[in-house]
Amino acid sequence: MDHHIDINLFDEEAVIDLALFFKIFGDVTRLKILFSLLNGEFTVTDLIGKLGISQSTISHQIGLLRRMNLVKSRREGKSIFYSLDDEHINSILLQGFTHISEKGKNQ
Amino acid sequence: MDHHIDINLFDEEAVIDLALFFKIFGDVTRLKILFSLLNGEFTVTDLIGKLGISQSTISHQIGLLRRMNLVKSRREGKSIFYSLDDEHINSILLQGFTHISEKGKNQ
DNA sequence: GTAACATATGCATATATGTTCATATGTTAG
DNA sequence: CTAACATATGAACATATATGCATATGTTAC
């Protein structure tokens, strides 16, 4: 009665896509942006102040998040508001965070 | 009544740990190893045959998985059997895979 | 002991990735 | 139209990462 994931290891493309997906969460800057966006819509300028990261870096990384369809944008005048565009992000971040927390406890 | 994750963005160390954790899943070789280990214990030699990846690469990557405490080992004679050492791996992989599958459907 | 097998590990190398700097694009106010 | 603001983007660079090669370590059989 095992509870396996039915992914065919020979479906190379699926594995590649999965790696690309997880890779997104493997960067501190992107994580900070994503955690911020869990709390609502923000502009690049907002994030600069909130996170203390340069405009260029935030633009580059948020552009990547948009291209990967994790984030969507909405222009309002000179500003562009970014927000999450994926229902799984919340639970994935939570799961990772739970993992980290428990590791911390045990060591 | 929002459902936020209560991670303090100023806890730099937690964010770094989280990024390190997700980074592990962001590599095709490691994903293949982890998916294999979802089905039970395997030796490096098993994985070479199953995955068609070189001994050196598998040893390097499985060593990393062990150091990151995602995988544990058990020696039996000349062989060393590897298995998963983290209850979250299954659900994290599943969540990522669900994400990928749904994206595939919509596009 | 030595040979054969299984796995680990150091080093070199190619490639990927993240950041910065400079500049371009787009928008609004005057 | 021009200045000021907001964001995007290309190029260069430094660092990180994955892999292969060679070799070391560990185990068993003889």
Side-chain angles (χ1 to χ4, degrees), chain B residues 41-88:
Chain B
E41 274 190 335
F42 292 102
T43 68
V44 170
T45 301
D46 291 336
L47 295 172
I48 293 171
K50 215 171 143 71
L51 304 177
I53 299 175
S54 78
Q55 182 268 318
S56 177
T57 293
I58 292 184
S59 278
H60 274 296
Q61 296 302 344
I62 215 165
L64 186 137
L65 291 173
R66 202 174 48 68
R67 286 191 298 280
M68 297 303 248
N69 298 309
L70 295 200
V71 154
K72 64 189 174 202
S73 62
R74 173 179 73 80
R75 184 177 273 278
E76 188 176 314
K78 282 181 287 190
S79 297
I80 299 178
F81 286 85
Y82 289 96
S83 56
L84 297 184
D85 189 25
D86 191 302
E87 332 85 44
H88 299 122

Side-chain angles (χ1 to χ4, degrees), chain A residues 7 17 32 42 44 64-65 71 74 89 94 97 100:
Chain A
I7 181 175
D17 286 350
K32 285 177 177 175
F42 291 102
V44 170
L64 187 139
L65 292 173
V71 154
R74 172 179 74 78
I89 297 178
L94 181 59
F97 190 60
I100 295 301

